[in-house]
Amino acid sequence: MIDIRTARESDIEAIYEVALKTGDAGVDASGLHPDGRIVGDLFAVPYVLFSRKLSFAIEDEEGVGGYVLGALDTAAFETRLTEAWWPGKRLRYRAPVGEPRPDWNADARWRWFVHNPRPTPRRIAEPYPSHLHIDLLPRLQGKGIGRRAMDLWLEQARAAGSSGAHLGVSTRNHRALRFYRAYGLTEPALERGPPPGTVWFVKAFG
C-alpha cells in the first residue's frame, strides 16, 4: 500500500537518500557527490523545514521512497532560504573558484550554486508563483504514483490560494520530461542556464 502523507522531520534522512538516488537527472548520483547530502540540501530538505503544508512523503512497506515537495510563494521561499538556510550550508560546502565552466563536475556546479543561488526567473514565478519537486525511487516508478502525487500537490496549492505552479527539469532528464508532457503541463520556454539547461513547466489554476 502506498501512503502519500505530510512529510515529517523524522523523514529527513530518507528524503536525503531519495534526493541523492535520483539526483543525476533522475538516476543515482551517489558517485558524483562525496558529501552525499548536497542534492537534498538544494532540492528537498528545506521544504520539510520551511514549507511543511506543501511537503509530502511517499511511503510504501519499505519506507519513504519518494516525495513531492514545494512552496506556495516562490519569492518568499527563496528569501527564507537566503536568510535561514544558505548561510549555514556555505560553511559546509566550499565554493569552487571562479565562474562555472564546462569542465566542472556536478559537485562543483552545485557547490557554486550554494554560494550563488539564482532566483527563479520573474517571467515564470510571477504568473505561476508556487513551485514543486517530485522524485521517486525506481521501486515506485511506473505505477501511477507520480500522477497521484502531482494531483494531490497541485490541488493543495490551488486550495491554498495559488494562481499557478511551475517546476524546472534538466534537459538531460528524459524520463521526467516525458512524464510532465504526458501529465499535461504547459511548457512555455527553454531557459538556458548553467549546463545542461532547464525546461520550465507551468500549470495555471482556473
mmCIF file with all atom_site columns, all heavy atoms in Angstrom, residues 60-71:
data_model
loop_
_atom_site.group_PDB
_atom_site.id
_atom_site.type_symbol
_atom_site.label_atom_id
_atom_site.label_alt_id
_atom_site.label_comp_id
_atom_site.label_asym_id
_atom_site.label_entity_id
_atom_site.label_seq_id
_atom_site.pdbx_PDB_ins_code
_atom_site.Cartn_x
_atom_site.Cartn_y
_atom_site.Cartn_z
_atom_site.occupancy
_atom_site.B_iso_or_equiv
_atom_site.pdbx_formal_charge
_atom_site.auth_seq_id
_atom_site.auth_comp_id
_atom_site.auth_asym_id
_atom_site.auth_atom_id
_atom_site.pdbx_PDB_model_num
ATOM 1  N N   . ASP A 1 60 ? 5.991  3.351  1.165  1.00 0.00 ? 60 ASP A N   1
ATOM 2  C CA  . ASP A 1 60 ? 5.461  2.008  0.979  1.00 0.00 ? 60 ASP A CA  1
ATOM 3  C C   . ASP A 1 60 ? 5.936  1.131  2.129  1.00 0.00 ? 60 ASP A C   1
ATOM 4  O O   . ASP A 1 60 ? 6.439  1.641  3.139  1.00 0.00 ? 60 ASP A O   1
ATOM 5  C CB  . ASP A 1 60 ? 5.840  1.440  -0.391 1.00 0.00 ? 60 ASP A CB  1
ATOM 6  C CG  . ASP A 1 60 ? 7.346  1.239  -0.561 1.00 0.00 ? 60 ASP A CG  1
ATOM 7  O OD1 . ASP A 1 60 ? 8.110  1.472  0.406  1.00 0.00 ? 60 ASP A OD1 1
ATOM 8  O OD2 . ASP A 1 60 ? 7.771  0.850  -1.670 1.00 0.00 ? 60 ASP A OD2 1
ATOM 9  N N   . GLU A 1 61 ? 5.803  -0.180 1.984  1.00 0.00 ? 61 GLU A N   1
ATOM 10 C CA  . GLU A 1 61 ? 6.174  -1.077 3.076  1.00 0.00 ? 61 GLU A CA  1
ATOM 11 C C   . GLU A 1 61 ? 7.675  -1.064 3.372  1.00 0.00 ? 61 GLU A C   1
ATOM 12 O O   . GLU A 1 61 ? 8.110  -1.486 4.447  1.00 0.00 ? 61 GLU A O   1
ATOM 13 C CB  . GLU A 1 61 ? 5.719  -2.506 2.767  1.00 0.00 ? 61 GLU A CB  1
ATOM 14 C CG  . GLU A 1 61 ? 6.350  -3.139 1.544  1.00 0.00 ? 61 GLU A CG  1
ATOM 15 C CD  . GLU A 1 61 ? 5.683  -2.705 0.237  1.00 0.00 ? 61 GLU A CD  1
ATOM 16 O OE1 . GLU A 1 61 ? 4.691  -1.939 0.301  1.00 0.00 ? 61 GLU A OE1 1
ATOM 17 O OE2 . GLU A 1 61 ? 6.149  -3.150 -0.826 1.00 0.00 ? 61 GLU A OE2 1
ATOM 18 N N   . GLU A 1 62 ? 8.489  -0.568 2.439  1.00 0.00 ? 62 GLU A N   1
ATOM 19 C CA  . GLU A 1 62 ? 9.934  -0.468 2.664  1.00 0.00 ? 62 GLU A CA  1
ATOM 20 C C   . GLU A 1 62 ? 10.344 0.863  3.281  1.00 0.00 ? 62 GLU A C   1
ATOM 21 O O   . GLU A 1 62 ? 11.509 1.059  3.624  1.00 0.00 ? 62 GLU A O   1
ATOM 22 C CB  . GLU A 1 62 ? 10.680 -0.688 1.348  1.00 0.00 ? 62 GLU A CB  1
ATOM 23 C CG  . GLU A 1 62 ? 10.495 -2.066 0.747  1.00 0.00 ? 62 GLU A CG  1
ATOM 24 C CD  . GLU A 1 62 ? 11.328 -2.253 -0.505 1.00 0.00 ? 62 GLU A CD  1
ATOM 25 O OE1 . GLU A 1 62 ? 12.511 -1.835 -0.511 1.00 0.00 ? 62 GLU A OE1 1
ATOM 26 O OE2 . GLU A 1 62 ? 10.805 -2.800 -1.486 1.00 0.00 ? 62 GLU A OE2 1
ATOM 27 N N   . GLY A 1 63 ? 9.416  1.770  3.385  1.00 0.00 ? 63 GLY A N   1
ATOM 28 C CA  . GLY A 1 63 ? 9.728  3.090  3.943  1.00 0.00 ? 63 GLY A CA  1
ATOM 29 C C   . GLY A 1 63 ? 9.505  4.188  2.931  1.00 0.00 ? 63 GLY A C   1
ATOM 30 O O   . GLY A 1 63 ? 8.884  3.988  1.878  1.00 0.00 ? 63 GLY A O   1
ATOM 31 N N   . VAL A 1 64 ? 10.013 5.380  3.233  1.00 0.00 ? 64 VAL A N   1
ATOM 32 C CA  . VAL A 1 64 ? 9.864  6.519  2.336  1.00 0.00 ? 64 VAL A CA  1
ATOM 33 C C   . VAL A 1 64 ? 10.718 6.287  1.097  1.00 0.00 ? 64 VAL A C   1
ATOM 34 O O   . VAL A 1 64 ? 11.935 6.112  1.194  1.00 0.00 ? 64 VAL A O   1
ATOM 35 C CB  . VAL A 1 64 ? 10.255 7.830  3.041  1.00 0.00 ? 64 VAL A CB  1
ATOM 36 C CG1 . VAL A 1 64 ? 10.270 8.994  2.045  1.00 0.00 ? 64 VAL A CG1 1
ATOM 37 C CG2 . VAL A 1 64 ? 9.290  8.129  4.177  1.00 0.00 ? 64 VAL A CG2 1
ATOM 38 N N   . GLY A 1 65 ? 10.058 6.285  -0.058 1.00 0.00 ? 65 GLY A N   1
ATOM 39 C CA  . GLY A 1 65 ? 10.757 6.058  -1.319 1.00 0.00 ? 65 GLY A CA  1
ATOM 40 C C   . GLY A 1 65 ? 10.526 7.155  -2.331 1.00 0.00 ? 65 GLY A C   1
ATOM 41 O O   . GLY A 1 65 ? 10.863 7.003  -3.506 1.00 0.00 ? 65 GLY A O   1
ATOM 42 N N   . GLY A 1 66 ? 9.949  8.264  -1.876 1.00 0.00 ? 66 GLY A N   1
ATOM 43 C CA  . GLY A 1 66 ? 9.707  9.376  -2.784 1.00 0.00 ? 66 GLY A CA  1
ATOM 44 C C   . GLY A 1 66 ? 9.124  10.550 -2.032 1.00 0.00 ? 66 GLY A C   1
ATOM 45 O O   . GLY A 1 66 ? 8.845  10.480 -0.830 1.00 0.00 ? 66 GLY A O   1
ATOM 46 N N   . TYR A 1 67 ? 8.947  11.633 -2.755 1.00 0.00 ? 67 TYR A N   1
ATOM 47 C CA  . TYR A 1 67 ? 8.360  12.826 -2.156 1.00 0.00 ? 67 TYR A CA  1
ATOM 48 C C   . TYR A 1 67 ? 7.833  13.735 -3.253 1.00 0.00 ? 67 TYR A C   1
ATOM 49 O O   . TYR A 1 67 ? 8.229  13.644 -4.425 1.00 0.00 ? 67 TYR A O   1
ATOM 50 C CB  . TYR A 1 67 ? 9.384  13.585 -1.306 1.00 0.00 ? 67 TYR A CB  1
ATOM 51 C CG  . TYR A 1 67 ? 10.701 13.881 -1.999 1.00 0.00 ? 67 TYR A CG  1
ATOM 52 C CD1 . TYR A 1 67 ? 10.787 14.805 -3.051 1.00 0.00 ? 67 TYR A CD1 1
ATOM 53 C CD2 . TYR A 1 67 ? 11.874 13.237 -1.613 1.00 0.00 ? 67 TYR A CD2 1
ATOM 54 C CE1 . TYR A 1 67 ? 11.990 15.076 -3.677 1.00 0.00 ? 67 TYR A CE1 1
ATOM 55 C CE2 . TYR A 1 67 ? 13.081 13.499 -2.233 1.00 0.00 ? 67 TYR A CE2 1
ATOM 56 C CZ  . TYR A 1 67 ? 13.137 14.419 -3.261 1.00 0.00 ? 67 TYR A CZ  1
ATOM 57 O OH  . TYR A 1 67 ? 14.331 14.680 -3.896 1.00 0.00 ? 67 TYR A OH  1
ATOM 58 N N   . VAL A 1 68 ? 6.915  14.592 -2.861 1.00 0.00 ? 68 VAL A N   1
ATOM 59 C CA  . VAL A 1 68 ? 6.533  15.751 -3.668 1.00 0.00 ? 68 VAL A CA  1
ATOM 60 C C   . VAL A 1 68 ? 6.558  16.924 -2.708 1.00 0.00 ? 68 VAL A C   1
ATOM 61 O O   . VAL A 1 68 ? 5.844  16.947 -1.705 1.00 0.00 ? 68 VAL A O   1
ATOM 62 C CB  . VAL A 1 68 ? 5.172  15.566 -4.372 1.00 0.00 ? 68 VAL A CB  1
ATOM 63 C CG1 . VAL A 1 68 ? 4.052  15.231 -3.418 1.00 0.00 ? 68 VAL A CG1 1
ATOM 64 C CG2 . VAL A 1 68 ? 4.828  16.807 -5.200 1.00 0.00 ? 68 VAL A CG2 1
ATOM 65 N N   . LEU A 1 69 ? 7.428  17.883 -2.981 1.00 0.00 ? 69 LEU A N   1
ATOM 66 C CA  . LEU A 1 69 ? 7.736  18.976 -2.070 1.00 0.00 ? 69 LEU A CA  1
ATOM 67 C C   . LEU A 1 69 ? 7.643  20.298 -2.818 1.00 0.00 ? 69 LEU A C   1
ATOM 68 O O   . LEU A 1 69 ? 7.988  20.372 -3.997 1.00 0.00 ? 69 LEU A O   1
ATOM 69 C CB  . LEU A 1 69 ? 9.158  18.834 -1.528 1.00 0.00 ? 69 LEU A CB  1
ATOM 70 C CG  . LEU A 1 69 ? 9.575  17.475 -0.969 1.00 0.00 ? 69 LEU A CG  1
ATOM 71 C CD1 . LEU A 1 69 ? 11.095 17.421 -0.804 1.00 0.00 ? 69 LEU A CD1 1
ATOM 72 C CD2 . LEU A 1 69 ? 8.895  17.225 0.368  1.00 0.00 ? 69 LEU A CD2 1
ATOM 73 N N   . GLY A 1 70 ? 7.218  21.343 -2.141 1.00 0.00 ? 70 GLY A N   1
ATOM 74 C CA  . GLY A 1 70 ? 7.167  22.622 -2.819 1.00 0.00 ? 70 GLY A CA  1
ATOM 75 C C   . GLY A 1 70 ? 6.801  23.748 -1.887 1.00 0.00 ? 70 GLY A C   1
ATOM 76 O O   . GLY A 1 70 ? 6.652  23.577 -0.678 1.00 0.00 ? 70 GLY A O   1
ATOM 77 N N   . ALA A 1 71 ? 6.644  24.926 -2.485 1.00 0.00 ? 71 ALA A N   1
ATOM 78 C CA  . ALA A 1 71 ? 6.342  26.133 -1.729 1.00 0.00 ? 71 ALA A CA  1
ATOM 79 C C   . ALA A 1 71 ? 5.218  26.894 -2.411 1.00 0.00 ? 71 ALA A C   1
ATOM 80 O O   . ALA A 1 71 ? 5.142  26.938 -3.640 1.00 0.00 ? 71 ALA A O   1
ATOM 81 C CB  . ALA A 1 71 ? 7.576  27.018 -1.615 1.00 0.00 ? 71 ALA A CB  1
#
